[in-house]
Each structure stands twice: as C-alpha cells, then as structure tokens.
Amino acid sequence: TIKGLTIKSVYTTTNEDSSNYGALSITCTAEDGTEIVLRTVVLKDGEGKTITADAFPVGSKVDARGVVDVYNGEYQLKAFSANDITFIN
C-alpha cells in the first residue's frame, strides 16, 4: 500500500490485439517526490463497464494497494481491482 500519491498523467493501453487493451498506467508522484507508476489490469465498475482514464483526473490524490511488479526494468505497483485505488481529500 502506498498512500498520498498525486496523479501526474494517465496512459491507456490501446493495442486492441492485447489482453491488456484498456489497462491503465497511472504515473503518480509520492509525497517525497518519487515518481511511481501504478499499473492496472482492465478495471470494471459495479455494472461491468470498463473504467477509463477519465476516472483518474490529473492532480487527484489517491492511496493505492497492489503488488510490486517490474516492466521494462522499472518497478511499478500493479493494482488488480478498482477497489485497490482510493481517492483521498
């Protein structure tokens, strides 16, 4: 769990041939200034609709829970559910 992340940018996987189509890479800044990528699987809301990048506005603050993963030699936090990302005031 990492608390107090500020969303800096959001990228959506757009390769329709990929099982990750619709997954998000949310680049955040931690309170100490460290940049952290929060990677998601394809997230669904309570009605089964895909959650898009619009749900994660730049500048918003979140707490995130997941597992540490490595992509292209860089560490990232991988979230497996929309419930793993909580907006904070």
Side-chain angles (χ1 to χ4, degrees):
T1 300
I2 302 176
K3 296 185 180 238
L5 298 174
T6 302
I7 297 175
K8 185 175 169 182
S9 65
V10 184
Y11 168 79
T12 304
T13 302
T14 57
N15 180 354
E16 292 183 20
D17 296 329
S18 169
S19 62
N20 291 319
Y21 177 69
L24 303 172
S25 292
I26 306 168
T27 302
C28 301
T29 305
E31 292 174 345
D32 69 358
T34 303
E35 186 172 281
I36 296 171
V37 175
L38 174 58
R39 177 68 177 171
T40 74
V41 296
V42 179
L43 299 175
K44 302 287 183 175
D45 66 14
E47 298 175 358
K49 295 179 183 175
T50 300
I51 297 172
T52 66
D54 293 339
F56 300 95
V58 170
S60 297
K61 289 196 173 281
V62 297
D63 293 339
R65 178 179 55 195
V67 298
V68 176
D69 195 11
V70 177
Y71 179 74
N72 283 342
E74 298 290 328
Y75 288 103
Q76 59 187 12
L77 185 69
K78 188 158 187 180
F80 292 94
S81 161
N83 293 330
D84 291 337
I85 304 167
T86 306
F87 285 89
I88 55 176
N89 295 333

Coordinates of all heavy atoms in Angstrom, one line a residue:
T1 N 0.8 -1.2 0.0 CA 0.0 0.0 0.0 C 0.9 1.2 0.0 O 1.8 1.3 0.8 CB -0.9 0.0 1.2 OG1 -1.7 -1.1 1.2 CG2 -1.8 1.3 1.3
I2 N 0.5 2.2 -0.9 CA 1.2 3.5 -0.9 C 0.2 4.5 -0.7 O -0.9 4.5 -1.4 CB 2.0 3.7 -2.2 CG1 3.0 2.6 -2.4 CG2 2.7 5.0 -2.2 CD1 3.7 2.7 -3.7
K3 N 0.4 5.5 0.2 CA -0.6 6.5 0.5 C -0.1 7.9 0.0 O 1.0 8.1 0.0 CB -0.9 6.5 2.0 CG -1.5 5.2 2.5 CD -1.9 5.3 3.9 CE -2.5 4.0 4.4 NZ -3.8 4.2 4.9
G4 N -1.1 8.7 -0.4 CA -0.8 10.1 -0.7 C -0.2 10.3 -2.0 O 0.7 11.2 -2.2
L5 N -0.5 9.5 -3.0 CA 0.0 9.7 -4.4 C -0.8 10.8 -5.1 O -2.0 10.9 -5.0 CB -0.1 8.4 -5.2 CG 0.7 7.2 -4.7 CD1 0.4 6.0 -5.5 CD2 2.2 7.5 -4.7
T6 N -0.1 11.6 -5.9 CA -0.7 12.6 -6.7 C -0.6 12.2 -8.2 O 0.5 11.9 -8.7 CB -0.1 14.0 -6.5 OG1 -0.2 14.4 -5.2 CG2 -0.8 15.1 -7.4
I7 N -1.8 12.1 -8.9 CA -1.8 11.7 -10.2 C -1.2 12.7 -11.1 O -1.6 13.9 -11.1 CB -3.2 11.3 -10.7 CG1 -3.7 10.1 -9.9 CG2 -3.2 11.0 -12.2 CD1 -5.2 9.8 -10.1
K8 N -0.2 12.3 -11.9 CA 0.6 13.2 -12.8 C 0.1 13.0 -14.3 O 0.0 14.0 -15.0 CB 2.1 12.9 -12.7 CG 3.0 13.7 -13.4 CD 4.4 13.3 -13.0 CE 5.4 14.0 -13.9 NZ 6.8 13.6 -13.6
S9 N -0.1 11.8 -14.7 CA -0.6 11.5 -16.0 C -1.2 10.1 -16.1 O -0.9 9.3 -15.2 CB 0.5 11.6 -17.1 OG 1.5 10.6 -16.9
V10 N -2.0 9.8 -17.1 CA -2.6 8.5 -17.3 C -2.5 8.1 -18.7 O -2.8 8.9 -19.6 CB -4.1 8.5 -16.8 CG1 -4.7 7.1 -16.9 CG2 -4.3 9.1 -15.4
Y11 N -2.1 6.9 -18.9 CA -2.0 6.3 -20.3 C -2.9 5.0 -20.3 O -2.8 4.2 -19.4 CB -0.5 5.9 -20.6 CG -0.4 5.1 -21.8 CD1 -0.4 5.7 -23.1 CD2 -0.2 3.7 -21.7 CE1 -0.3 4.9 -24.2 CE2 -0.1 2.9 -22.9 CZ -0.1 3.5 -24.1 OH 0.0 2.8 -25.2
T12 N -3.6 4.9 -21.4 CA -4.4 3.7 -21.6 C -3.8 2.8 -22.7 O -3.4 3.3 -23.8 CB -5.9 4.1 -22.1 OG1 -6.4 5.0 -21.1 CG2 -6.7 2.9 -22.2
T13 N -3.7 1.5 -22.4 CA -3.2 0.6 -23.4 C -4.2 0.5 -24.6 O -5.4 0.2 -24.3 CB -3.0 -0.8 -22.8 OG1 -2.0 -0.7 -21.8 CG2 -2.4 -1.8 -23.9
T14 N -3.8 0.8 -25.8 CA -4.7 0.9 -26.9 C -4.5 -0.2 -28.0 O -5.2 -0.1 -29.0 CB -4.6 2.3 -27.6 OG1 -3.2 2.5 -28.0 CG2 -5.0 3.4 -26.6
N15 N -3.6 -1.1 -27.7 CA -3.5 -2.2 -28.7 C -4.6 -3.2 -28.5 O -4.7 -3.9 -27.6 CB -2.1 -2.9 -28.4 CG -1.9 -4.0 -29.3 OD1 -2.7 -4.4 -30.2 ND2 -0.7 -4.6 -29.2
E16 N -5.5 -3.2 -29.5 CA -6.7 -4.0 -29.4 C -6.4 -5.5 -29.5 O -7.3 -6.3 -29.1 CB -7.7 -3.6 -30.5 CG -8.3 -2.2 -30.3 CD -9.3 -1.8 -31.4 OE1 -9.9 -2.7 -32.0 OE2 -9.5 -0.6 -31.5
D17 N -5.2 -5.9 -29.9 CA -4.9 -7.3 -30.0 C -4.3 -7.8 -28.7 O -4.0 -9.0 -28.6 CB -3.8 -7.5 -31.1 CG -4.4 -7.2 -32.5 OD1 -5.6 -7.4 -32.7 OD2 -3.7 -6.8 -33.4
S18 N -4.2 -6.9 -27.7 CA -3.6 -7.2 -26.5 C -4.6 -7.6 -25.4 O -5.7 -7.0 -25.4 CB -2.7 -6.1 -26.0 OG -2.3 -6.3 -24.6
S19 N -4.3 -8.5 -24.5 CA -5.2 -8.8 -23.4 C -5.2 -7.7 -22.4 O -6.1 -7.6 -21.6 CB -4.8 -10.1 -22.7 OG -3.5 -10.0 -22.2
N20 N -4.3 -6.7 -22.6 CA -4.2 -5.5 -21.7 C -5.0 -4.3 -22.3 O -4.9 -3.3 -21.7 CB -2.8 -5.1 -21.4 CG -2.1 -6.1 -20.6 OD1 -2.6 -6.7 -19.6 ND2 -0.8 -6.4 -21.0
Y21 N -5.7 -4.6 -23.4 CA -6.4 -3.4 -24.0 C -7.4 -2.8 -23.0 O -8.2 -3.5 -22.4 CB -7.2 -4.0 -25.2 CG -8.1 -2.9 -25.9 CD1 -7.5 -1.9 -26.6 CD2 -9.4 -2.9 -25.8 CE1 -8.2 -0.9 -27.2 CE2 -10.2 -1.9 -26.4 CZ -9.6 -0.9 -27.1 OH -10.3 0.0 -27.8
G22 N -7.2 -1.5 -22.7 CA -8.0 -0.8 -21.7 C -7.3 -0.7 -20.4 O -7.8 0.0 -19.5
A23 N -6.2 -1.4 -20.1 CA -5.5 -1.3 -18.9 C -4.9 0.1 -18.8 O -4.6 0.8 -19.8 CB -4.4 -2.4 -18.8
L24 N -4.6 0.6 -17.6 CA -4.1 1.9 -17.4 C -2.7 1.9 -16.7 O -2.4 1.0 -15.9 CB -5.1 2.7 -16.4 CG -6.5 2.8 -16.9 CD1 -7.4 3.4 -15.8 CD2 -6.6 3.6 -18.1
S25 N -1.9 2.9 -17.1 CA -0.7 3.2 -16.4 C -0.8 4.6 -15.9 O -0.9 5.6 -16.7 CB 0.5 3.1 -17.4 OG 0.8 1.8 -17.8
I26 N -0.9 4.7 -14.6 CA -1.2 6.0 -13.9 C 0.2 6.4 -13.3 O 0.6 5.8 -12.3 CB -2.3 5.8 -12.8 CG1 -3.5 5.2 -13.5 CG2 -2.5 7.2 -12.2 CD1 -4.6 4.8 -12.5
T27 N 0.8 7.4 -13.8 CA 2.0 7.9 -13.3 C 1.7 8.9 -12.1 O 0.9 9.8 -12.3 CB 2.9 8.6 -14.4 OG1 3.1 7.7 -15.4 CG2 4.2 9.1 -13.8
C28 N 2.3 8.7 -11.0 CA 2.0 9.4 -9.8 C 3.3 9.9 -9.2 O 4.4 9.4 -9.4 CB 1.3 8.6 -8.7 SG -0.3 7.8 -9.3
T29 N 3.1 10.9 -8.3 CA 4.2 11.5 -7.5 C 3.9 11.2 -6.1 O 2.8 11.6 -5.6 CB 4.4 13.0 -7.7 OG1 4.6 13.2 -9.1 CG2 5.6 13.5 -7.0
A30 N 4.8 10.5 -5.4 CA 4.7 10.3 -3.9 C 4.9 11.6 -3.2 O 5.5 12.5 -3.7 CB 5.6 9.2 -3.5
E31 N 4.6 11.6 -1.9 CA 4.8 12.8 -1.0 C 6.3 13.2 -1.0 O 6.5 14.4 -0.8 CB 4.2 12.5 0.3 CG 2.7 12.4 0.3 CD 2.1 12.0 1.6 OE1 2.8 11.6 2.6 OE2 0.9 12.2 1.8
D32 N 7.2 12.2 -1.1 CA 8.6 12.6 -1.1 C 9.2 13.0 -2.4 O 10.4 13.2 -2.6 CB 9.4 11.4 -0.5 CG 9.5 10.2 -1.3 OD1 8.9 10.2 -2.4 OD2 10.2 9.2 -0.9
G33 N 8.3 13.0 -3.5 CA 8.7 13.4 -4.8 C 9.1 12.3 -5.7 O 9.3 12.5 -6.9
T34 N 9.1 11.1 -5.2 CA 9.4 9.9 -6.0 C 8.3 9.6 -7.0 O 7.1 9.7 -6.7 CB 9.5 8.6 -5.1 OG1 10.5 8.9 -4.2 CG2 9.9 7.4 -6.0
E35 N 8.6 9.4 -8.3 CA 7.7 9.0 -9.3 C 7.3 7.6 -9.3 O 8.3 6.7 -9.2 CB 8.2 9.4 -10.7 CG 7.1 9.3 -11.8 CD 7.6 9.9 -13.1 OE1 7.5 11.1 -13.3 OE2 8.0 9.1 -13.9
I36 N 6.1 7.2 -9.2 CA 5.6 5.8 -9.1 C 4.6 5.6 -10.2 O 3.7 6.4 -10.4 CB 5.0 5.6 -7.8 CG1 6.1 5.7 -6.7 CG2 4.4 4.2 -7.7 CD1 5.6 5.7 -5.3
V37 N 4.7 4.5 -11.0 CA 3.7 4.1 -11.9 C 2.8 3.1 -11.3 O 3.3 2.1 -10.8 CB 4.4 3.5 -13.2 CG1 3.3 3.0 -14.2 CG2 5.2 4.6 -13.9
L38 N 1.5 3.4 -11.3 CA 0.5 2.5 -10.8 C -0.1 1.9 -12.1 O -0.8 2.5 -12.9 CB -0.5 3.3 -10.0 CG -1.8 2.6 -9.6 CD1 -1.4 1.4 -8.7 CD2 -2.7 3.5 -8.8
R39 N 0.1 0.6 -12.3 CA -0.4 -0.2 -13.4 C -1.6 -0.9 -13.0 O -1.6 -1.5 -11.9 CB 0.7 -1.1 -13.9 CG 0.3 -2.0 -15.1 CD 0.1 -1.2 -16.4 NE -0.2 -2.1 -17.4 CZ -0.6 -1.7 -18.6 NH1 -0.7 -0.4 -18.9 NH2 -0.9 -2.6 -19.6
T40 N -2.6 -0.9 -13.9 CA -3.8 -1.7 -13.6 C -4.1 -2.8 -14.6 O -3.5 -2.7 -15.7 CB -5.1 -0.8 -13.6 OG1 -5.4 -0.4 -14.9 CG2 -4.9 0.5 -12.7
V41 N -4.8 -3.8 -14.2 CA -5.5 -4.6 -15.2 C -6.6 -3.8 -15.8 O -6.8 -2.7 -15.4 CB -6.0 -5.9 -14.5 CG1 -4.8 -6.7 -13.9 CG2 -7.0 -5.6 -13.4
V42 N -7.4 -4.4 -16.7 CA -8.6 -3.7 -17.2 C -9.6 -3.6 -16.0 O -10.0 -4.7 -15.5 CB -9.2 -4.4 -18.4 CG1 -10.4 -3.7 -18.9 CG2 -8.1 -4.6 -19.5
L43 N -9.9 -2.4 -15.6 CA -10.7 -2.2 -14.4 C -12.2 -2.1 -14.9 O -12.5 -1.5 -15.9 CB -10.4 -0.9 -13.7 CG -8.9 -0.9 -13.1 CD1 -8.7 0.5 -12.5 CD2 -8.7 -2.0 -12.1
K44 N -13.1 -2.7 -14.1 CA -14.5 -2.6 -14.3 C -15.2 -2.0 -13.2 O -14.8 -2.2 -12.0 CB -15.1 -4.1 -14.6 CG -14.4 -4.8 -15.7 CD -14.8 -4.3 -17.0 CE -14.2 -5.2 -18.1 NZ -14.7 -4.8 -19.4
D45 N -16.3 -1.3 -13.5 CA -17.1 -0.7 -12.4 C -18.2 -1.7 -11.9 O -18.2 -2.9 -12.4 CB -17.8 0.6 -12.8 CG -18.8 0.5 -13.9 OD1 -19.3 -0.7 -14.2 OD2 -19.2 1.5 -14.5
G46 N -19.0 -1.4 -11.0 CA -20.1 -2.3 -10.5 C -21.0 -2.8 -11.5 O -21.7 -3.8 -11.3
E47 N -21.2 -2.1 -12.7 CA -22.0 -2.5 -13.7 C -21.3 -3.3 -14.8 O -21.9 -3.7 -15.8 CB -22.7 -1.3 -14.3 CG -23.6 -0.6 -13.3 CD -24.2 0.7 -13.9 OE1 -23.9 1.0 -15.1 OE2 -25.0 1.4 -13.2
G48 N -20.0 -3.6 -14.6 CA -19.2 -4.3 -15.6 C -18.7 -3.5 -16.7 O -18.1 -4.0 -17.7
K49 N -18.8 -2.2 -16.6 CA -18.3 -1.3 -17.7 C -16.8 -1.0 -17.4 O -16.4 -0.8 -16.2 CB -19.1 0.0 -17.7 CG -20.5 -0.2 -18.1 CD -21.3 1.2 -18.1 CE -22.7 0.9 -18.5 NZ -23.5 2.2 -18.4
T50 N -16.0 -0.9 -18.5 CA -14.6 -0.6 -18.3 C -14.4 0.8 -17.8 O -15.0 1.8 -18.3 CB -13.9 -0.7 -19.7 OG1 -14.1 -2.0 -20.2 CG2 -12.4 -0.4 -19.6
I51 N -13.6 1.0 -16.8 CA -13.2 2.3 -16.2 C -12.1 2.8 -17.0 O -11.1 2.2 -17.3 CB -12.8 2.1 -14.7 CG1 -13.9 1.5 -13.9 CG2 -12.2 3.4 -14.2 CD1 -13.6 1.2 -12.5
T52 N -12.3 4.1 -17.5 CA -11.3 4.7 -18.4 C -10.4 5.7 -17.7 O -10.6 6.0 -16.5 CB -12.1 5.5 -19.5 OG1 -12.8 6.5 -19.0 CG2 -13.0 4.5 -20.3
A53 N -9.5 6.3 -18.4 CA -8.5 7.2 -17.8 C -9.2 8.5 -17.3 O -8.8 9.1 -16.3 CB -7.5 7.7 -18.9
D54 N -10.4 8.8 -17.8 CA -11.2 10.0 -17.3 C -11.5 9.8 -15.9 O -11.8 10.9 -15.2 CB -12.5 10.1 -18.1 CG -12.2 10.5 -19.6 OD1 -11.1 11.0 -19.9 OD2 -13.1 10.3 -20.4
A55 N -11.6 8.6 -15.3 CA -11.9 8.4 -13.9 C -10.8 8.8 -13.0 O -11.0 8.8 -11.8 CB -12.3 7.0 -13.7
F56 N -9.6 9.1 -13.5 CA -8.4 9.4 -12.7 C -7.8 10.8 -13.2 O -6.8 10.9 -13.8 CB -7.4 8.3 -12.9 CG -7.9 7.0 -12.5 CD1 -8.4 6.1 -13.4 CD2 -7.8 6.6 -11.1 CE1 -8.9 4.9 -13.0 CE2 -8.3 5.4 -10.7 CZ -8.9 4.5 -11.6
P57 N -8.5 11.9 -12.8 CA -8.1 13.2 -13.2 C -6.7 13.6 -12.7 O -6.3 13.3 -11.5 CB -9.1 14.1 -12.6 CG -10.2 13.3 -12.1 CD -9.7 11.9 -11.9
V58 N -5.9 14.2 -13.5 CA -4.6 14.7 -13.1 C -4.7 15.6 -12.0 O -5.6 16.5 -11.9 CB -3.9 15.4 -14.3 CG1 -2.6 16.1 -13.9 CG2 -3.6 14.4 -15.4
G59 N -3.9 15.5 -11.0 CA -3.9 16.3 -9.8 C -4.6 15.7 -8.6 O -4.5 16.2 -7.5
S60 N -5.4 14.7 -8.9 CA -6.1 14.0 -7.8 C -5.2 13.2 -6.9 O -4.1 12.8 -7.4 CB -7.1 13.0 -8.4 OG -8.1 13.6 -9.2
K61 N -5.6 13.0 -5.7 CA -4.7 12.3 -4.7 C -5.4 11.0 -4.4 O -6.6 10.9 -4.3 CB -4.6 13.1 -3.4 CG -3.7 14.3 -3.6 CD -3.2 14.8 -2.2 CE -2.2 15.8 -2.3 NZ -0.9 15.4 -2.6
V62 N -4.6 9.9 -4.4 CA -5.1 8.5 -4.2 C -4.1 7.8 -3.2 O -3.0 8.1 -3.1 CB -5.2 7.8 -5.5 CG1 -6.2 8.4 -6.5 CG2 -3.8 7.6 -6.2
D63 N -4.7 6.8 -2.6 CA -4.0 5.7 -1.9 C -4.1 4.5 -2.8 O -5.2 4.3 -3.4 CB -4.6 5.4 -0.6 CG -4.5 6.5 0.4 OD1 -3.6 7.4 0.2 OD2 -5.2 6.5 1.4
A64 N -3.1 3.7 -3.0 CA -3.1 2.6 -3.9 C -2.6 1.3 -3.2 O -1.6 1.4 -2.4 CB -2.3 2.8 -5.1
R65 N -3.2 0.2 -3.5 CA -2.8 -1.1 -3.0 C -2.5 -2.0 -4.2 O -3.3 -2.0 -5.1 CB -3.9 -1.7 -2.1 CG -3.6 -3.0 -1.5 CD -4.8 -3.4 -0.7 NE -6.0 -3.4 -1.4 CZ -7.2 -3.4 -0.9 NH1 -7.4 -3.5 0.4 NH2 -8.3 -3.3 -1.7
G66 N -1.5 -2.8 -4.1 CA -1.2 -3.8 -5.2 C 0.1 -4.5 -4.9 O 0.6 -4.6 -3.7
V67 N 0.6 -5.1 -5.9 CA 1.9 -5.9 -5.8 C 3.0 -5.2 -6.6 O 2.7 -4.5 -7.6 CB 1.8 -7.3 -6.3 CG1 0.8 -8.1 -5.4 CG2 1.4 -7.4 -7.7
V68 N 4.2 -5.3 -6.1 CA 5.3 -4.7 -6.9 C 5.6 -5.6 -8.1 O 5.7 -6.8 -7.9 CB 6.5 -4.5 -5.9 CG1 7.7 -4.0 -6.7 CG2 6.2 -3.6 -4.8
D69 N 5.7 -4.9 -9.2 CA 6.0 -5.6 -10.5 C 7.1 -4.9 -11.2 O 7.5 -3.8 -10.8 CB 4.7 -5.6 -11.3 CG 4.6 -6.5 -12.5 OD1 5.5 -7.4 -12.6 OD2 3.7 -6.4 -13.3
V70 N 7.7 -5.5 -12.2 CA 8.7 -4.9 -13.0 C 8.3 -4.9 -14.5 O 7.9 -5.9 -15.0 CB 10.1 -5.6 -12.8 CG1 11.2 -5.0 -13.7 CG2 10.5 -5.6 -11.4
Y71 N 8.4 -3.8 -15.1 CA 8.1 -3.6 -16.5 C 9.2 -2.9 -17.2 O 9.5 -1.7 -16.7 CB 6.8 -3.0 -16.7 CG 6.4 -2.8 -18.2 CD1 6.0 -3.9 -19.0 CD2 6.5 -1.6 -18.8 CE1 5.7 -3.7 -20.3 CE2 6.2 -1.4 -20.2 CZ 5.8 -2.5 -20.9 OH 5.5 -2.4 -22.2
N72 N 9.8 -3.4 -18.2 CA 11.0 -2.8 -18.9 C 12.0 -2.3 -17.9 O 12.6 -1.2 -18.0 CB 10.5 -1.6 -19.8 CG 9.9 -2.1 -21.0 OD1 10.1 -3.2 -21.5 ND2 9.1 -1.2 -21.7
G73 N 12.3 -3.1 -16.9 CA 13.3 -2.8 -15.9 C 13.0 -1.8 -14.9 O 13.8 -1.4 -14.1
E74 N 11.8 -1.3 -14.9 CA 11.3 -0.3 -13.9 C 10.3 -0.9 -13.0 O 9.4 -1.7 -13.4 CB 10.7 0.9 -14.7 CG 11.6 1.6 -15.6 CD 12.7 2.4 -14.8 OE1 12.4 2.9 -13.7 OE2 13.8 2.5 -15.4
Y75 N 10.4 -0.6 -11.7 CA 9.4 -1.1 -10.7 C 8.1 -0.3 -10.9 O 8.1 0.9 -11.2 CB 9.9 -0.9 -9.3 CG 11.0 -1.9 -9.0 CD1 12.3 -1.5 -8.9 CD2 10.7 -3.2 -8.7 CE1 13.3 -2.3 -8.6 CE2 11.7 -4.1 -8.4 CZ 13.0 -3.7 -8.3 OH 14.0 -4.5 -8.0
Q76 N 7.0 -1.0 -10.7 CA 5.7 -0.3 -10.7 C 4.8 -1.1 -9.7 O 5.1 -2.2 -9.2 CB 5.0 -0.4 -12.1 CG 4.9 -1.8 -12.6 CD 4.4 -1.8 -14.1 OE1 4.4 -0.7 -14.7 NE2 4.0 -2.9 -14.6
L77 N 3.7 -0.4 -9.3 CA 2.7 -1.0 -8.4 C 1.6 -1.5 -9.2 O 1.0 -0.7 -10.0 CB 2.3 -0.1 -7.3 CG 1.4 -0.6 -6.2 CD1 2.1 -1.6 -5.3 CD2 0.8 0.5 -5.4
K78 N 1.2 -2.8 -9.2 CA 0.1 -3.3 -10.0 C -1.1 -3.5 -9.2 O -1.1 -4.2 -8.2 CB 0.5 -4.6 -10.7 CG -0.5 -5.0 -11.7 CD 0.1 -6.0 -12.7 CE -0.9 -6.2 -13.8 NZ -0.4 -7.1 -14.8
A79 N -2.2 -2.8 -9.6 CA -3.5 -2.9 -8.9 C -4.4 -3.9 -9.7 O -4.4 -3.8 -11.0 CB -4.2 -1.6 -8.8
F80 N -5.1 -4.7 -9.1 CA -5.9 -5.7 -9.7 C -7.4 -5.5 -9.7 O -8.2 -6.2 -10.2 CB -5.6 -7.1 -9.1 CG -4.3 -7.6 -9.4 CD1 -3.2 -7.3 -8.6 CD2 -4.0 -8.2 -10.6 CE1 -1.9 -7.8 -8.9 CE2 -2.7 -8.6 -10.9 CZ -1.7 -8.4 -10.1
S81 N -7.8 -4.4 -9.0 CA -9.3 -4.1 -8.9 C -9.4 -2.5 -8.7 O -8.5 -1.9 -8.2 CB -9.8 -4.8 -7.6 OG -11.0 -4.2 -7.2
A82 N -10.6 -2.0 -9.1 CA -10.8 -0.6 -8.9 C -10.8 -0.3 -7.4 O -10.5 0.8 -7.0 CB -12.2 -0.2 -9.5
N83 N -11.1 -1.3 -6.6 CA -11.1 -1.1 -5.1 C -9.7 -0.9 -4.5 O -9.6 -0.5 -3.4 CB -11.8 -2.2 -4.4 CG -13.3 -2.3 -4.7 OD1 -13.9 -1.2 -5.0 ND2 -13.9 -3.4 -4.7
D84 N -8.7 -1.2 -5.3 CA -7.3 -1.0 -4.9 C -6.8 0.4 -5.0 O -5.8 0.7 -4.5 CB -6.4 -1.9 -5.7 CG -6.6 -3.4 -5.5 OD1 -7.1 -3.8 -4.4 OD2 -6.2 -4.2 -6.3
I85 N -7.7 1.3 -5.6 CA -7.3 2.7 -5.7 C -8.4 3.5 -5.1 O -9.6 3.5 -5.5 CB -7.2 3.1 -7.2 CG1 -6.1 2.2 -7.9 CG2 -6.8 4.5 -7.3 CD1 -6.2 2.3 -9.4
T86 N -8.0 4.3 -4.0 CA -9.0 5.0 -3.3 C -8.6 6.5 -3.3 O -7.5 6.9 -3.1 CB -8.9 4.6 -1.8 OG1 -9.1 3.2 -1.7 CG2 -10.0 5.3 -1.0
F87 N -9.6 7.3 -3.8 CA -9.4 8.8 -3.8 C -9.4 9.3 -2.4 O -10.2 8.9 -1.6 CB -10.4 9.5 -4.7 CG -10.2 9.2 -6.2 CD1 -10.8 8.1 -6.8 CD2 -9.4 10.1 -6.9 CE1 -10.5 7.9 -8.1 CE2 -9.2 9.9 -8.2 CZ -9.7 8.8 -8.9
I88 N -8.5 10.3 -2.1 CA -8.5 11.0 -0.8 C -8.6 12.5 -1.0 O -8.4 13.0 -2.1 CB -7.1 10.6 -0.1 CG1 -5.9 11.0 -0.9 CG2 -7.1 9.2 0.3 CD1 -4.6 10.8 -0.2
N89 N -9.0 13.1 0.1 CA -9.2 14.6 0.0 C -8.0 15.3 0.2 O -7.1 14.9 0.9 CB -10.3 15.0 1.1 CG -11.6 14.4 0.8 OD1 -11.9 14.2 -0.4 ND2 -12.4 14.2 1.8

